[in-house]
Amino acid sequence: MKLNSGLILTILVSLTLSACAPKKEGPVVDEKPVEVAPVVDNTPKFPYEGTNLTAQQLRALGINGNPLDEKVVYFEYNSTAIDRRSQVILGAHAYNLAKSAGTAVTLDGHADERGTRDYNLSLGERRAQVVSEFLAANGARSNNKTVSYGEERPVDSAHTEAAWAKNRRVEIKY
């Protein structure tokens, strides 16, 4: 018990002495405060309408520049799910289309060569329809026409995963 009391007393004395010690300050160069002009950053935080992302965040998604320049969204194998990158691109298009009501939009759905012709036509149509619904849900008031080409119009005719990934897409035309 004496050991604990001595330890506590030592800690208290140390804290008291350190609190009373004079504060050390850095060297004084001039007694007058120096006024620093504020740095004004004129770069818009959200450079593109329809996105709530900075240019750096867009680049992290693989979008360099204006998302409206991106006219193609891609899909995973056998999927109609819209990934985050595509959501940003489609959100910008929806915003743009909402400002210009009545713009005719054609959404061309595509699939890779795997699967039957009928299945790929159906998959391309579902992809185009999902994009159309996303645009409408995000404010686009346009005349969307969906078309499916299935596997009939590949961008890359190679028989590799990289080529198939390019072919699983919806092209936005307006």
Side-chain angles (χ1 to χ4, degrees):
M1 189 70 177
K2 283 186 178 182
L3 181 62
N4 286 341
S5 298
L7 181 60
I8 292 173
L9 184 59
T10 304
I11 292 173
L12 286 175
V13 170
S14 298
L15 289 174
T16 304
L17 291 176
S18 66
C20 294
K23 303 291 182 214
K24 293 183 181 179
E25 293 185 21
V28 176
V29 177
D30 191 358
E31 292 187 20
K32 295 179 187 176
V34 177
E35 289 187 30
V36 178
V39 176
V40 178
D41 183 6
N42 291 327
T43 306
K45 184 171 182 182
F46 305 117
Y48 301 106
E49 293 180 330
T51 72
N52 291 328
L53 301 175
T54 64
Q56 182 178 4
Q57 290 168 323
L58 289 171
R59 281 191 300 276
L61 290 170
I63 302 169
N64 296 314
N66 192 340
L68 291 175
D69 294 339
E70 302 281 339
K71 301 285 188 176
V72 179
V73 292
Y74 297 95
F75 294 86
E76 293 295 320
Y77 175 70
N78 199 28
S79 175
T80 59
I82 300 173
D83 65 13
R84 178 68 179 133
R85 178 181 186 277
S86 297
Q87 288 175 12
V88 171
I89 292 167
L90 294 173
H93 282 287
Y95 182 86
N96 189 47
L97 290 167
K99 294 188 317 185
S100 36
T103 301
V105 178
T106 302
L107 302 168
D108 295 346
H110 299 270
D112 64 36
E113 65 186 20
R114 298 172 291 177
T116 66
R117 182 179 183 280
D118 289 340
Y119 178 79
N120 288 336
L121 282 170
S122 174
L123 181 58
E125 179 62 33
R126 289 193 315 268
R127 287 175 174 161
Q129 190 60 42
V130 163
V131 168
S132 177
E133 291 168 5
F134 184 95
L135 292 172
N138 286 278
R141 293 184 212 112
S142 61
N143 304 321
N144 292 342
K145 175 183 171 188
T146 59
V147 178
S148 177
Y149 293 102
E151 63 191 73
E152 302 301 319
R153 294 186 179 182
V155 171
D156 191 333
S157 59
H159 306 290
T160 64
E161 183 56 46
W164 295 328
K166 291 177 192 173
N167 294 331
R168 298 187 299 259
R169 69 194 188 282
V170 169
E171 297 176 4
I172 306 161
K173 298 178 179 178
Y174 63 96

